[in-house]
Every structure is written in C-alpha cells, then in structure tokens.
Amino acid sequence: MRYYLILLFVFAGFRVSAQDCNSILVGEVYDFHDNRPLDGATVSITGKDRTTLSKEDGKFSFRNLCDGVLELEISHPSCTTKFVVLTIKGDTFEKVFLEHHLEELEEVKVVGNIPKNTNSGQEERLSQKDIERSSGSSLGDALKKITGVSTLNTGGNIVKPVIQGLNGSRVLILNNNVRMQDMEWGDEHAPNVDINANQEISVIKGAAALEYGGDAVGGVIVLNPLPIVRKDSLFGKTQMNLFSNGRGGNITSTIAKSYDSGLYLKAQGSYKLLGDLEAPDYMLSNTGIRQLGVSFNVGKRDFVQGWEAYYSFFDTDIGILRASHIGNVDDLIQSINSEQPNVINDFTYTIARPNQEVSHHLGKLNYYRRMEGVGKWTVQYDFQKNRRFEYDIRVGDDADKASLDLQLTTHSLLTDVKFDAKQGLDIKVGLLGRYQNNFANPDTGVRRLIPDYDKYDLGAFGVAEYSLNESWTVDGGLRYDFNRINAKKFYRTSRWEERGYDQDFSDIVLEDLGTQLLTNPIFNFHNFSGSAGLNYEMGGDNLLRVNYTYSQRAPNPAELFSEGLHHSAARIELGDLRINSEKSSKVSISLERNAQNWGYTIAPFFNSIKDFILLEPTGAEFTIRGAFPVWSYRQTDATLYGLDVSIYNNWNTNIRSEHKFAWVRGTDVVTDIPLINIPAANLNNSIEFKIPSWNNFTFGMESQFVFEQKRFPPNITVFSPEQQQDVLLAINTPPPAYHLIALNAEKSFSLLNENDLTVGLAATNLLNTSYRDYLNRLRYFVDDMGRNINLRIIYNY
C-alpha cells in the first residue's frame, strides 16, 4: 500500500510540472504587399476566450500559454481572415501576413461606374443588365449602348465596333486577357467572340492602356468573365432568347463550382440559330446565321499564387445577303439607284452561297505569384487558331469550293510584374513575344487575296500610377513594339508593273514565271508609344481626367498585300507595299459627375494621325468573273475630333432617364476632303421605370436619332458597259437621317429561390421604320432590319 502512495505522489508531481503554462507567444501582423505593420488586427486563440489587438508596430503577444498545438484567428478591416496553426514550445515568435488588397482576391465589388483598367483615359462599361439584354446580339451591337461607339456592318450579323470613328486593327479586343487574333481586317470580318461567355465588358477609348498594346489607336475592348468568389458554392445561369425577326433565337448556359481552397471549375455554352432577316417591306434573302460557342475554365486562386487553364471554341456560319452579290458594274449602278433589291426569296433557315464559315480556338495557361514586399508576377501563354472560309456563287465542279480559305495560327507568351509595395505608387512592367503564321490554301483555284506569311512580335512596356494626394493622381507609360512580317506572294506581272513595284521592289522577286512573279516581301517595323495623364477628384462627386497618348500602329497584312477579288465583299481590294506605320497623337478630356441623384460626362477629344491608312473606292475593273468595283488602300494625314456627352438623372427611386450624344468629324488634311466611313452624329434618349415591390418590375423606352452624314468623300466615275459611257457612281453618298424607337419590360419571379426567374420582353425598331445606315455596307442594296420582338427568359440557380 505504501508503494502505491509513493507512485501516486510521483505521478502527481509530474502532472503538476506538465501543467506549468509559462510560455509566451509574440507575433507581428504585416500587409503582405508592402510589408507595412497592421495596427488594430484582432488576434484570437480558437477554442479559448483569449483575444488581443495588434499595436501600431503590428506586434501582439499572449502570455501563460501551455506548450502544444494551437490555432490563431487573425482578422483586420479590409482583409480576409486568416487561420494559423502553430506549435508552442517555450517562448515562440510568429510573423503573420494578411491579404490587404481585396481586389486581388477576386471579390466582386462594383462601385458606381468607376473605371478599373485606366486612370486618366476615357472608359465606360456595360451594366450586367445591358449584357443580358444583348445576349442574342453581336458584341458590336451590345457596345453601341456606350457613348461614342458605333458599328461597321455587313448586314445584321457581321458587326464590327467603331470607337470614336476608328475601327478594324485600330481596335484591340482583349478576351479573358488574351488579345484576339482573328483577321480583324476587312469590313465583313466580325470579332469571333461569344458575348455570353463574358459578364464584364468595358471600352477604353484610345490607346491610354499601353499594357494591352501600343497599336490600339482607336481603343481597347476588355471582356472578362465574372470573377469566382473564394467559397464553397455551386451556381449557374441559363438564358433563352426568342426573336421574331429571323424567327429563331439563342440559348446560353453557365455553371460554376468553387471551393474554399480557391479551386474552381466553370463551363459555358451557347447556340444561336436565325433564318433570313426581314426589312419592313421585304425579305433579306440569305441572311441567316448558325453560331456555337463553348468555354471551359479550371484554376486555383490562393493568396500567394494561383493558376488558370482556359479554352474556348467559337464556330459560326453566316449568310451574306444574296442581293449584294453583284456580277458587274451595271448591277451595282442599278442596285444603288433602285428602291428594291434584285433578289427577294421566301423565308428560309438555309444558308446558301455567298456565305462565311469561321471557327476559332483559343487556349490559355496563366500563373501568378505574389512576392512579399514586392508585388505580383504573372506569366501567360496563349494559343489561337482561326480558320476562315468565304464562299462565292460558283458553278460546276467548283460550286462547293471556298473562294477564300485562310488559317491563322498564333502563339503568345507574356509576363509582367506589378510593384505595389509602396503605398500610393503602382508600377507595372512587362514583356511580350508572339509568333503568327498565316496559310492561304491554294486549292481554292482563286488568286489568294492574303498570302502566306510568318509574323513575329516583340514588345516591352512600363506603366505607373502615383497618387500625389487624395485628390490628384497621375499616370504614364512607355511601350516599344517590334513587328516583322515575312511573306511569300505571287503577283501578276501586269499589276506589279502598273503599281511601280518593278522600280521600288525588284530585289524581293524570287522567281519570274512570265505572267506572274513569286516575291518574298520582308518588313520590319519599330513602333514606340507613350501616354501621360492625370485624374483630379474635385470634390462633390466631380472628376476631371486629362490624357495624352502617342501611339504607332504597324500596317496589317491586308493593308500591305491585298491583291485580288474579295468574294464575300464582291470587290477587288488592292494593298500597297509602301505603307508605313500610322502615328497617332490624341488628347482627350473627360469632365464627370457620378452622384446618386444625377451625373454627367462631357468628353471632347482630338486625334491627329500621320500616315493614316484608309480603304476607299477608286474605280472598277473587268475580270473573267465580270466587272467589280476596286477599293484601294492608301496613306494620308488625317484629323479626327469630336465630343461624347452623357447625362443621367435618378428622378426618384423609381424613375431614371439617360441622354447620350456622340459626334465625330474626320478629315483628310492633305486633300482637305472628309474621310470615308465616319459615323454620323447620333442622339440617344431613354427612360426607365422600376417598381421593386412588384417583383422588380421594369419598363423602359428608348429613342435613337441618327443624323444624316453631311461630310463624305466625292463619288467616283466608272465605265458602264451597258451605257458605253462613264457614269457617276454614288457609292459614297450617305442615306437620310432616321429615328428608331425601342421598348423593354421585365419582371422577376420566385421558383426555388427568391427572384431566381426573370422574364423580359423587348422590341427594337418598334414602328417598323424603313432606313439605311451609312456604316452598313449592304445599304447599297437593301433597307436595314425591321421590327424585332425579343422574349427572354433567365433562370439563376
């Protein structure tokens, strides 16, 4: 018994000794980005009622801790709460870093209409509602809701954005941080983008955002999917649209799964089918469309590092108005002077010749890592493959053979580092490398409009933003781009001599085949761009932005090498090997008020472009296919200046009105004649009524007035074989002004969750007005689309 008592006292002594909790934990809390100590961070030991706050130097401490494992919970305003597991073994020290930049954590945070891509440049974005209402439309049509953005059309389905009078290669499209490479040259080449795959769409007017490209003389269109929130969730959305004009519709669906760890998966798909469109008085034969788009995302976003893999596929088959396919100059003269198209067939979903078939593959791998007290490093590789078939009306064995067959393959590698360790100063530097190959299939049996070529791009940029104080912020940037094009092209000997190439480019001839020459043109372009601006918050919700940008754009392959019949455009296009880089100097000013009750934006701009490249009609030529108008590229000096104005007023919680006006004037300063294809001034007025208590009932009306374009280049004279004399061809004369009315109504319903179903009804061109738009290439042949009623159903789950 005595031995048991001795053992009991021995073990009790050990137990008492083990329970001596005299260890001390000393810690420090810092901002990961700039190594700044965080004052007032709350530090708690989970499972125990012990909490303290960090001091001004970021330090905190706990005394009388027992050795062993414990968990700390650290939180701070504007930071994501962090949990740290550590082992206490005697006195212990722990340094904790918190994520103090919420935007870096992909939190969804929308504050008014504040731009995020540029500080001093003009920028505007579409609302989520605008994107939903444009689900069945093209990207260009959706962007027309933004002041200063118009469209260059080839009918209702081929739509290119025009920003403050500039389009084509001057407008850069950034799709999920990938610069689109999809043969953007040509009036009838629409962007290969599914608007339903992106829920954040903004327009930067001009080349103010140099990190995206120094050649964006017109502007940058930034498209991104909604960020994934870091939490365990499963959500999705399906939207269906039905259209009366075209007697079809589209359906799109998205589903996303995310985890607390930052891992996420997302899939999206859409399909669109429309038959022949209809003008107020007749059918627009062969204007249907079939379109398929799918995309997949998988990635993981953590605080220190993250990655993403992305793939999208876009495929479209577009009919080209049958009446636009002209056989000769007399057909063109008759079409322009006639009130009716020369071909009107019954409605059909069949897409016949002429038409386009285009497919676009895009893949992206992205990785980022944050560096303590330095910033964020990002590296990205992306791949694109664009295949374009253009079909003419051909007979015999060639009836189903494409007249144009191009394959464009692009590989890009880019990396950048953002230095944000110093409060109030952000610096970003980056490098770009790109290789592109174009293959023009010779099996078409038609002279290749665009030749085979290899293109190499190298770029480097640096941009910075510095806050002088709470009111003044300045920014600036520099960029250098090197572009090299190495092409192999056959020229007809007669065309080669006619354009004087035998005098200027005799050294690039590889082989003389008698009637044609095989040439190897190689061009190197060195382009520099720079930007500087300021942002002044004047108080009272007023803001002033001033920006100056100098940018250079190398000519695209179409501007250099086009030589032949562009079948889907029914015209001969001639490039010029002498074309050099464009050089743009643009000043833009934006005075803004963004208040709860009312606000406005007044944004004048002036753009002087040296060696401006333009495509214009110059005559007509006879070929074995008939006679066709000739459109030639040339260079001149030009100025574009204009004004964008928008005003909104929230009259009360139920009524909001908006008014937008855009005007631009373009002039060839060498000849003192107006530039071709400059959009006419337009005025847009809208009013919307909302009654949230009626299941978010909304009713709106919109009025769009487009003025007649009074400034246009002179018409041309062509020889009419039928009349055997020269005839004035009014190919440049704009149509009259027009006025359109649109209506929209929608209401929410609750099925499984509150307001998870939205039903909307909209009508465009409500009065079924007959009109022709100056920037629609098919205005020569037919009126624009008539009334279109759209039923949309949106289900969120």
Side-chain angles (χ1 to χ4, degrees):
M1 184 66 178
R2 184 169 48 187
Y3 294 108
Y4 288 111
L5 291 174
I6 293 172
L7 289 174
L8 180 61
F9 281 116
V10 169
F11 283 109
F14 280 122
R15 180 182 176 89
V16 171
S17 174
Q19 291 303 309
D20 287 341
C21 298
N22 298 317
S23 297
I24 300 173
L25 170 63
V26 176
E28 296 177 350
V29 184
Y30 284 84
D31 183 336
F32 184 91
H33 295 268
D34 55 17
N35 264 336
R36 179 169 52 89
L38 293 179
D39 178 22
T42 301
V43 185
S44 303
I45 302 177
T46 58
K48 299 182 181 295
D49 188 19
R50 300 192 64 178
T51 300
T52 188
L53 297 176
S54 63
K55 299 178 182 179
E56 290 184 1
D57 56 2
K59 292 183 178 180
F60 67 90
S61 64
F62 290 100
R63 296 180 176 274
N64 302 320
L65 296 177
C66 301
D67 288 353
V69 178
L70 58 80
E71 183 182 55
L72 296 180
E73 179 181 351
I74 307 101
S75 61
H76 188 270
S78 300
C79 295
T80 295
T81 299
K82 188 171 186 178
F83 293 89
V84 177
V85 178
L86 53 90
T87 301
I88 302 297
K89 191 173 182 180
D91 293 345
T92 306
F93 174 79
E94 183 73 15
K95 192 172 184 179
V96 180
F97 292 96
L98 289 187
E99 313 162 12
H100 201 239
H101 292 188
L102 280 185
E103 68 273 14
E104 300 288 351
L105 302 176
E106 306 296 347
E107 296 286 348
V108 181
K109 195 174 183 181
V110 179
V111 184
N113 197 32
I114 299 174
K116 292 186 178 180
N117 297 292
T118 177
N119 174 63
S120 62
Q122 298 177 8
E123 181 179 1
E124 190 175 346
R125 66 179 54 197
L126 291 177
S127 69
Q128 186 66 42
K129 281 295 183 183
D130 284 335
I131 296 174
E132 288 180 345
R133 293 169 186 174
S134 303
S135 170
S137 304
S138 67
L139 172 65
D141 284 330
L143 291 173
K144 285 199 294 186
K145 298 181 182 298
I146 293 178
T147 314
V149 178
S150 48
T151 56
L152 190 65
N153 296 35
T154 302
N157 295 316
I158 303 176
V159 185
K160 301 187 69 163
V162 179
I163 302 176
Q164 293 180 335
L166 298 174
N167 65 84
S169 297
R170 303 180 185 94
V171 175
L172 187 160
I173 298 178
L174 201 70
N175 183 8
N176 198 4
N177 204 45
V178 176
R179 176 170 177 161
M180 295 297 293
Q181 304 286 335
D182 56 359
M183 305 175 194
E184 69 275 11
W185 52 81
D187 296 354
E188 63 293 326
H189 293 183
N192 294 312
V193 174
D194 182 5
I195 189 174
N196 299 290
N198 301 279
Q199 295 81 39
E200 288 186 350
I201 302 177
S202 60
V203 172
I204 303 170
K205 300 171 184 176
L210 289 181
E211 62 181 285
Y212 301 135
D215 56 344
V217 179
V220 183
I221 299 170
V222 182
L223 305 100
N224 285 308
L226 281 179
I228 302 295
V229 180
R230 288 180 56 189
K231 66 178 182 180
D232 193 6
S233 64
L234 176 65
F235 59 93
K237 180 175 79 171
T238 296
Q239 177 169 348
M240 182 176 66
N241 295 275
L242 298 175
F243 300 98
S244 63
N245 203 323
R247 307 180 195 180
N250 79 301
I251 185 169
T252 179
S253 190
T254 303
I255 188 167
K257 171 63 178 174
S258 61
Y259 299 88
D260 289 333
S261 64
L263 180 68
Y264 62 90
L265 303 97
K266 183 178 179 181
Q268 178 270 337
S270 62
Y271 181 74
K272 179 179 179 180
L273 173 65
L274 291 175
D276 289 338
L277 303 177
E278 192 171 356
D281 299 320
Y282 43 78
M283 197 68 64
L284 304 174
S285 298
N286 199 45
T287 53
I289 182 173
R290 285 193 295 270
Q291 181 176 296
L292 171 70
V294 295
S295 62
F296 303 94
N297 295 61
V298 59
K300 185 175 182 181
R301 296 192 177 277
D302 203 348
F303 173 45
V304 175
Q305 61 183 350
W307 57 271
E308 181 186 48
Y310 174 78
Y311 169 77
S312 70
F313 173 71
F314 183 85
D315 184 84
T316 183
D317 185 2
I318 305 174
I320 306 296
L321 179 73
R322 179 62 182 85
S324 70
H325 188 86
I326 51 177
N328 53 54
V329 174
D330 288 305
D331 287 346
L332 180 60
I333 296 171
Q334 186 273 334
S335 295
I336 289 178
N337 296 328
S338 173
E339 296 292 328
Q340 296 282 329
N342 55 26
V343 177
I344 302 177
N345 297 322
D346 293 335
F347 173 86
T348 179
Y349 290 100
T350 301
I351 298 176
R353 308 295 187 234
N355 67 304
Q356 298 179 4
E357 295 178 6
V358 184
S359 62
H360 189 94
H361 298 265
L362 186 154
K364 182 188 81 168
L365 293 173
N366 176 282
Y367 173 79
Y368 71 84
R369 186 175 184 86
R370 292 187 175 87
M371 298 167 285
E372 176 189 339
V374 177
K376 179 182 177 182
W377 169 63
T378 303
V379 61
Q380 176 178 301
Y381 164 78
D382 58 76
F383 164 82
Q384 296 178 68
K385 183 177 180 180
N386 185 277
R387 188 74 182 271
R388 169 177 292 273
F389 297 95
E390 295 188 4
Y391 293 90
D392 191 8
I393 299 175
R394 307 174 75 176
V395 295
D397 295 337
D398 294 335
D400 293 324
K401 185 181 293 186
S403 297
L404 185 71
D405 180 358
L406 297 176
Q407 180 171 289
L408 189 70
T409 305
T410 308
H411 301 267
S412 300
L413 182 66
L414 58 152
T415 183
D416 61 67
V417 178
K418 182 178 181 181
F419 301 93
D420 58 4
K422 186 175 181 180
Q423 191 171 6
L425 175 64
D426 287 346
I427 299 175
K428 193 172 188 178
V429 296
L431 297 171
L432 162 75
R434 178 179 292 124
Y435 167 71
Q436 184 175 90
N437 171 262
N438 182 72
F439 173 69
N441 192 345
D443 294 338
T444 61
V446 176
R447 177 175 296 278
R448 289 173 283 183
L449 179 68
I450 305 294
D452 296 344
Y453 68 80
D454 291 314
K455 186 170 182 284
Y456 307 87
D457 300 325
L458 293 173
F461 74 89
V463 295
E465 180 180 314
Y466 180 61
S467 297
L468 300 173
N469 51 48
E470 292 184 356
S471 300
W472 291 89
T473 303
V474 296
D475 63 23
L478 293 172
R479 184 179 180 103
Y480 166 75
D481 289 285
F482 169 76
N483 313 106
R484 179 183 178 90
I485 299 179
N486 186 340
K488 294 285 182 66
K489 178 172 175 59
F490 287 95
Y491 278 94
R492 284 183 297 168
T493 304
S494 58
R495 179 81 71 188
W496 182 263
E497 295 174 351
E498 169 198 299
R499 300 185 69 81
Y501 291 162
D502 55 330
Q503 301 294 323
D504 297 338
F505 298 100
S506 59
D507 57 325
I508 68 172
V509 176
L510 296 180
E511 190 174 358
D512 187 343
L513 302 174
T515 59
Q516 61 180 350
L517 303 170
L518 174 60
T519 66
N520 180 208
I522 300 176
F523 296 103
N524 296 321
F525 300 96
H526 300 271
N527 295 320
F528 296 88
S529 304
S531 176
L534 62 86
N535 182 314
Y536 174 44
E537 297 184 14
M538 298 181 290
D541 301 310
N542 294 305
L543 179 70
L544 175 67
R545 303 178 197 271
V546 180
N547 180 269
Y548 168 76
T549 302
Y550 176 79
S551 56
Q552 293 185 327
R553 181 184 74 89
N556 66 44
E559 293 163 340
L560 290 169
F561 305 126
S562 291
E563 193 247 346
L565 184 61
H566 199 163
H567 290 264
S568 68
R571 67 191 185 197
I572 295 170
E573 294 181 5
L574 298 178
D576 194 332
L577 294 178
R578 303 177 184 88
I579 286 180
N580 298 310
S581 293
E582 288 182 337
K583 305 163 190 70
S584 164
S585 295
K586 182 176 182 180
V587 177
S588 61
I589 301 172
S590 180
L591 180 62
E592 306 172 21
R593 173 184 168 88
N594 296 292
Q596 182 66 34
N597 54 349
W598 72 283
Y600 62 84
T601 298
I602 302 174
F605 65 90
F606 178 83
N607 197 352
S608 175
I609 306 178
K610 184 176 176 57
D611 294 326
F612 181 74
I613 305 169
L614 71 160
L615 176 65
E616 59 188 4
T618 55
E621 280 190 8
F622 292 89
T623 72
I624 59 173
R625 300 273 305 162
F628 292 91
V630 177
W631 288 64
S632 303
Y633 288 97
R634 71 176 177 92
Q635 281 190 291
T636 186
D637 294 342
T639 59
L640 294 96
Y641 57 89
L643 178 69
D644 295 340
V645 178
S646 63
I647 303 172
Y648 69 85
N649 193 350
N650 293 313
W651 298 92
N652 53 44
T653 56
N654 303 109
I655 303 176
R656 175 186 174 93
S657 64
E658 290 191 62
H659 314 275
K660 299 178 180 181
F661 174 77
W663 168 77
V664 59
R665 181 185 179 111
T667 304
D668 180 340
V669 297
V670 175
T671 61
D672 195 30
I673 62 173
L675 294 176
I676 193 172
N677 288 336
I678 296 298
N682 61 87
L683 176 65
N684 187 289
N685 299 290
S686 64
I687 187 168
E688 188 172 73
F689 302 87
K690 292 183 180 180
I691 308 178
S693 59
W694 291 7
N695 294 93
N696 294 324
F697 175 76
T698 301
F699 176 79
M701 183 170 66
E702 180 179 336
S703 164
Q704 181 189 21
F705 185 83
V706 178
F707 295 82
E708 181 179 351
Q709 177 57 276
K710 298 290 188 179
R711 303 183 75 254
F712 56 94
N715 290 305
I716 62 174
T717 300
V718 297
F719 180 77
S720 167
E722 186 177 281
Q723 302 180 41
Q724 285 297 298
Q725 62 180 353
D726 289 336
V727 176
L728 183 68
L729 185 65
I731 198 169
N732 290 328
T733 302
Y738 62 88
H739 181 215
L740 304 178
I741 300 293
L743 295 180
N744 175 71
E746 66 180 30
K747 188 175 182 180
S748 298
F749 300 90
S750 299
L751 296 182
L752 298 179
N753 299 296
E754 184 177 0
N755 296 327
D756 55 357
L757 177 68
T758 301
V759 178
L761 188 67
T764 56
N765 194 2
L766 181 68
L767 303 181
N768 210 27
T769 301
S770 296
Y771 72 99
R772 301 193 180 195
D773 189 271
Y774 176 55
L775 294 188
N776 191 336
R777 195 180 66 82
L778 299 188
R779 66 180 170 84
Y780 303 131
F781 314 104
V782 291
D783 291 337
D784 240 294
M785 280 178 57
R787 182 188 299 114
N788 189 15
I789 299 174
N790 165 219
L791 171 66
R792 64 180 179 275
I793 301 172
I794 306 171
Y795 181 58
N796 293 280
Y797 45 88

